Amino acid sequence: MRIEKCYFCSGPVYPGHGVMFVRNDCKTFRFCRSKCHRNFKKKRNPRKTRWTKAFRKASGKELTVDNALEFEKRRNIPVKYNRELWNKTVDAMMKVEKIKQKRQAQFIMNRPNSWKTKWCKDYKKTWKLGMKIIYLKSKCFVSLGKLQLLLFFFQLVCFNLEFDLAVKGQ
Amino acid sequence: MALYNFKKIMVVPTAKEFIDITLSKTQRKTPTVVHKHYQIHRIRHFYMRKVKFTQQNYHDRLTQILTDFPKLDDIHPFYADLMNVLYDKDHYKLALGQINIAKNLIDNVAKDYVRLMKYGDSLYRCKQLKRAALGRMCTILKRQKSSLEYLEQVRQHLSRLPSIDPNTRTLLLCGYPNVGKSSFINKVTRADVDVQPYAFTTKSLFVGHMDYRYLRWQVVDTPGILDHPLEDRNTIEMQAITALAHLRAAVLYVMDLSEQCGHTLQEQLELFNNIRPLFANKPLIIVANKCDVKKISELTEENQKILADLTTEGIPVIETSTLTEEGVMQVKTEACDQLLAHRVNTKMKGKKVHDVLNRLHLAMPAKRDEKDRPPFIPDGALTRRRAMEVDAPKRKLERDLELELGDDYILDLQKYWDLMNEDEKQDRIPEVWEGHNIADYIDPDIMKKLEDLEKEEELKERAGEYDSDDESEDEDMLEIRSLAKQIREKKQLMVMESREKDVHGPRMPRTATRVERKKLEKEMSELGLDMSDKNDSHYAEQARRSRSVAKKRKRETSAPPTSKTRSQSASRPPRDQSGLRDAKMVKKAKKIMKNSQTDRNRDGRKGESDRHVYDLKPKHLLAGKRKSGKTDRR
């Protein structure tokens, strides 16, 4: 029993799931779900379809060359079963997996143009957005008038301080 | 020499059937209508056709029978003799001759009557002539009734004869009845011949096939032969004699040492000497069967001496027991080898060999140095060869184990695995972990690689690759960071909460449901806002303005209301004003409304639900050539 890789999205195909297409030249294509299957039938190139892993690897959005990735590869020569080797392999596999995930995450974090990671690193923005939400919520208490507007801005300033104090109090 | 396919002979119908078939065929396949007033030639032609048609049919059918049945002179003498024994050559030839005569007679009858019909001058005359002709033909055939029956029986029996190829390698078993010939053939081939304790269980020849040295061998089982002169033999024995006489085979003369067949050893030896002339030019082996009951060493002195004499003459005497399978393989190999040698010798003496011999050349490689290079035979092959020859007990099969254990048997293929440690054979091997195949990680050097990887990782960590780059460490930033983290956490929590809500049905947006004042105040106070005195706030005012839905009062305690009750629609704020905070917003909302209405007004629609099409097939779009623009506008 093996968990195969989907040809289109490179996701896992568990046993009992998905579809396998065998072409006349005896090349087999496995698909994890009908989304990938239909895209394939439409002759779309997975390397150009943005949501697939193939695209992400090909356009440098994910870690491609790394020693941790060399551990998991399909081997053509079977090795005879040996209990201690299997035990060692399972332990090693878990460790390697951890290191691999760490490195992949670090790679993505270090990406220069990723707006997502920029957002993640930018705490100030989050804080600002949070404040804005609260401000807008608070706006619905008072009806608008110029005087009140002024009051608002004043409130905002004190309000921030208030908030900090309140949080600190927590 | 063509081997007749005796199964392909057409069915021979009985006389009555034959007549019926032909006459009905004539009636169906020839025109049926004729009148008195037709022209005479037409009438004559009509009836002549009938006569000729009938004659043609009989002729065809009878010729087919004659050609289908084999001519005894044309087939292999073995089959000719066998048919003679079974069906009597004379009777057979006579029957076929009769059929031939009948055929000729029918032809003649038809010819005559057709000639007569030329002079028929009326319908009635022609009809009578036709009747006479057909009648005579049918009578001729009726007289052949017995021949046809006999031929049908012959055909049925012929098709059931065993297909013995007279030219290939054959082993022939002969001897007294009940000595164990059929048991022998059952053991050696896949044939399933009846074995019973009474004599003459086997009443005809049986063939089995076996393989030896990559060749196909026929084993022919014969009925037993008794010891009396040739003339007194019955059909069954004669079959055996025929086989002996005509097949160039290795003869296995089976004897019963224990005399369980009902004949003493002396009688068997007598028979052997009597039919000795039939064994000329054939490799011969004497099979001393039933040796589990009595061995040769247990025989009397003189009997042993006779057998020893036979051995010295060059006829091997081999002890066997078809019950314990002792010696059966030995007999088989001995007979096959002898027959092969004999056949090779005969071929060498023949004329055809020299052409082939001239072209055959066995190349032996010239010795390069003094090193001895014997052929390499792996051990497995040697053991197997030994097992084949000596007929040793085979290793215990799974099937034997299954039968032994009965219900407790479990098929366990893992016990045949070839592993380094024997005790690991019953291990349950893990295949998959968290979406990864363990088989992809298996590598004898994995520990070393892992060590290298971990060292690398350590180096990286030390170099500071994994440190998050936090720009400044001053208090404000720390504050902001912690706050931001809280915000993010809260947001995630809210998202998870809303997902868990498990709403069955369409999810309503937050704006569609009313927010209760208490809830709003609670939420805000959680965030840290002061919500103590908010009676003058906008939301509170709105809540007061709208009237809550009146609860249903109990009939007894209720009094009719004095003031005019407001309708439901008045309890909700009108749509122009609901959700709008201030005048500016109201103005904007109105503007948006007007904007969205312009397109519809231009189309002359009454409202957003007006989809009436005034002209489904407007002429200006569907008619005319395309010169004046596309079809959606012209």
Side-chain angles (χ1 to χ4, degrees), chain B residues 273-331:
Chain B
N273 287 326
N274 282 343
I275 54 175
R276 201 106 181 235
L278 284 169
F279 299 158
N281 289 342
K282 296 193 176 75
L284 175 63
I285 293 180
I286 296 192
V287 180
N289 203 12
K290 305 198 190 169
C291 75
D292 51 317
V293 181
K294 200 167 192 184
K295 292 216 175 302
I296 290 185
S297 36
E298 295 169 22
L299 284 176
T300 60
E301 279 277 329
E302 20 174 302
N303 288 340
Q304 281 193 25
K305 193 169 156 304
I306 299 174
L307 288 174
D309 283 341
L310 285 170
T311 325
T312 46
E313 279 179 47
I315 309 168
V317 177
I318 305 175
E319 278 191 324
T320 59
S321 169
T322 48
L323 203 65
T324 63
E325 294 197 42
E326 189 192 320
V328 168
M329 286 295 132
Q330 203 191 346
V331 167

Side-chain angles (χ1 to χ4, degrees), chain B residues 49-313:
Chain B
R49 190 165 164 184
K50 290 214 187 257
V51 172
K52 278 202 213 139
F53 188 86
T54 319
Q55 177 253 327
Q56 193 64 42
N57 268 330
Y58 277 131
H59 182 97
D60 287 340
R61 213 59 195 273
L62 293 170
T63 17
Q64 193 189 40
I65 292 173
L66 287 172
T67 44
D68 273 349
F69 276 88
K71 280 219 210 30
L72 290 179
D73 308 321
D74 284 348
I75 53 181
H76 194 272
F78 165 64
Y79 276 111
D81 234 359
L82 192 65
M83 285 174 72
N84 181 17
V85 164
L86 292 168
Y87 319 126
D88 191 10
K89 185 164 70 171
D90 298 332
H91 193 175
Y92 180 82
K93 280 194 173 165
L94 256 174
L96 285 178
Q98 293 278 6
I99 299 286
N100 201 15
I101 292 172
K103 185 180 78 175
N104 290 335
L105 283 176
I106 287 174
D107 288 343
N108 288 338
V109 159
K111 223 188 316 179
D112 288 340
Y113 275 88
V114 162
R115 214 181 312 131
L116 278 179
M117 195 103 55
K118 280 195 242 169
Y119 304 106
D121 45 2
S122 73
L123 179 123
Y124 179 73
R125 275 272 154 86
C126 291
K127 186 169 177 182
Q128 295 298 85
L129 284 170
K130 164 221 151 213
R131 259 189 89 206
L134 258 50
R136 277 182 75 174
M137 287 193 249
C138 295
T139 333
I140 294 170
L141 217 63
K142 247 196 283 190
R143 290 207 302 262
Q144 306 307 322
K145 181 166 156 184
S146 50
S147 302
L148 290 169
E149 272 175 17
Y150 168 77
L151 283 173
E152 173 60 20
Q153 301 224 342
V154 167
R155 182 199 74 87
Q156 283 183 1
H157 198 271
L158 257 187
S159 67
R160 289 197 177 84
L161 282 184
S163 52
I164 304 176
D165 184 358
N167 296 324
T168 180
R169 302 156 285 272
T170 325
L171 300 179
L172 201 50
L173 296 160
C174 58
Y176 260 99
N178 253 354
V179 293
K181 302 185 286 298
S182 304
S183 324
F184 186 85
I185 194 176
N186 281 344
K187 281 276 171 280
V188 163
T189 68
R190 277 200 70 179
D192 203 5
V193 185
D194 240 0
V195 175
Q196 299 280 354
Y198 59 86
F200 287 106
T201 319
T202 314
K203 292 192 249 308
S204 65
L205 299 172
F206 283 96
V207 195
H209 296 269
M210 66 177 199
D211 295 314
Y212 176 74
R213 288 229 196 136
Y214 312 108
L215 293 168
R216 259 280 126 129
W217 296 75
Q218 279 180 146
V219 183
V220 177
D221 180 27
T222 64
I225 316 172
L226 294 170
D227 194 10
H228 37 223
L230 193 66
E231 300 79 37
D232 298 346
R233 293 196 186 280
N234 58 25
T235 336
I236 304 177
E237 292 172 338
M238 278 308 291
Q239 290 184 48
I241 301 290
T242 320
L244 271 174
H246 289 280
L247 294 176
R248 288 185 324 143
V251 179
L252 297 165
Y253 183 76
V254 188
M255 297 180 71
D256 181 1
L257 291 176
S258 63
E259 301 179 3
Q260 275 179 356
C261 60
H263 305 273
T264 62
L265 201 63
Q266 297 299 76
E267 290 177 13
Q268 297 183 34
L269 289 167
E270 265 293 316
L271 173 67
F272 176 70
N273 287 326
N274 282 343
I275 54 175
R276 201 106 181 235
L278 284 169
F279 299 158
N281 289 342
K282 296 193 176 75
L284 175 63
I285 293 180
I286 296 192
V287 180
N289 203 12
K290 305 198 190 169
C291 75
D292 51 317
V293 181
K294 200 167 192 184
K295 292 216 175 302
I296 290 185
S297 36
E298 295 169 22
L299 284 176
T300 60
E301 279 277 329
E302 20 174 302
N303 288 340
Q304 281 193 25
K305 193 169 156 304
I306 299 174
L307 288 174
D309 283 341
L310 285 170
T311 325
T312 46
E313 279 179 47

Side-chain angles (χ1 to χ4, degrees), chain B residues 401-613:
Chain B
L401 192 62
E402 187 181 350
L403 291 171
E404 227 176 274
L405 291 175
D407 265 344
D408 304 325
Y409 174 70
I410 300 168
L411 175 65
D412 182 22
L413 291 171
Q414 287 182 310
K415 66 180 178 227
Y416 291 116
W417 285 357
D418 175 25
L419 300 173
M420 288 193 275
N421 308 350
E422 295 298 312
D423 50 342
E424 289 175 6
K425 279 188 182 172
Q426 305 298 330
D427 275 358
R428 292 179 64 178
I429 305 173
E431 289 172 33
V432 158
W433 175 74
E434 274 207 9
H436 302 278
N437 292 309
I438 293 177
D440 290 343
Y441 284 88
I442 301 288
D443 193 356
D445 316 322
I446 195 168
M447 294 320 286
K448 187 169 153 307
K449 286 194 189 159
L450 179 68
E451 264 180 54
D452 295 337
L453 186 74
E454 287 188 328
K455 273 192 216 140
E456 226 185 277
E457 193 64 20
E458 221 180 309
L459 287 172
K460 276 198 178 170
E461 266 189 54
R462 257 188 246 149
E465 271 192 43
Y466 291 122
D467 298 335
S468 51
D469 31 301
D470 304 326
E471 317 98 33
S472 48
E473 290 292 316
D474 51 333
E475 270 202 17
D476 281 347
M477 271 319 291
L478 280 171
E479 285 269 346
I480 289 176
R481 210 181 302 137
S482 64
L483 268 179
K485 277 212 179 101
Q486 280 183 355
I487 292 171
R488 282 186 194 163
E489 269 176 42
K490 184 80 197 281
K491 189 173 173 194
Q492 281 180 353
L493 275 171
M494 287 169 71
V495 167
M496 276 167 55
E497 262 178 47
S498 98
R499 277 205 197 133
E500 277 170 25
K501 261 196 214 152
D502 195 26
V503 174
H504 295 288
R507 284 172 184 260
M508 299 295 284
R510 259 187 99 233
T511 45
T513 54
R514 301 191 72 195
V515 182
E516 286 188 31
R517 178 182 170 177
K518 274 184 269 182
K519 184 158 172 256
L520 180 69
E521 288 185 349
K522 181 171 164 239
E523 221 175 84
M524 286 297 139
S525 54
E526 263 179 33
L527 284 173
L529 275 176
D530 174 30
M531 300 293 282
S532 38
D533 184 24
K534 292 285 176 187
N535 269 334
D536 299 333
S537 59
H538 185 245
Y539 68 86
E541 265 188 56
Q542 290 283 31
R544 257 173 277 138
R545 204 191 295 169
S546 62
R547 199 177 158 77
S548 53
V549 178
K551 283 198 186 132
K552 205 173 180 191
R553 295 163 297 180
K554 288 189 184 166
R555 287 234 182 125
E556 306 92 64
T557 55
S558 71
T562 46
S563 60
K564 217 167 63 171
T565 49
R566 286 187 212 168
S567 59
Q568 177 84 346
S569 57
S571 62
R572 283 217 185 111
R575 285 180 80 181
D576 327 3
Q577 295 164 25
S578 71
L580 300 169
R581 281 194 297 267
D582 44 15
K584 178 177 161 208
M585 216 173 175
V586 167
K587 210 170 150 196
K588 188 163 171 108
K590 228 176 176 182
K591 190 170 166 208
I592 292 171
M593 181 189 76
K594 291 282 177 196
N595 264 340
S596 71
Q597 281 177 352
T598 41
D599 285 334
R600 271 183 261 133
N601 291 342
R602 202 184 323 121
D603 288 340
R605 304 239 171 253
K606 289 193 216 122
E608 62 182 17
S609 63
D610 183 6
R611 279 176 290 163
H612 178 75
V613 178

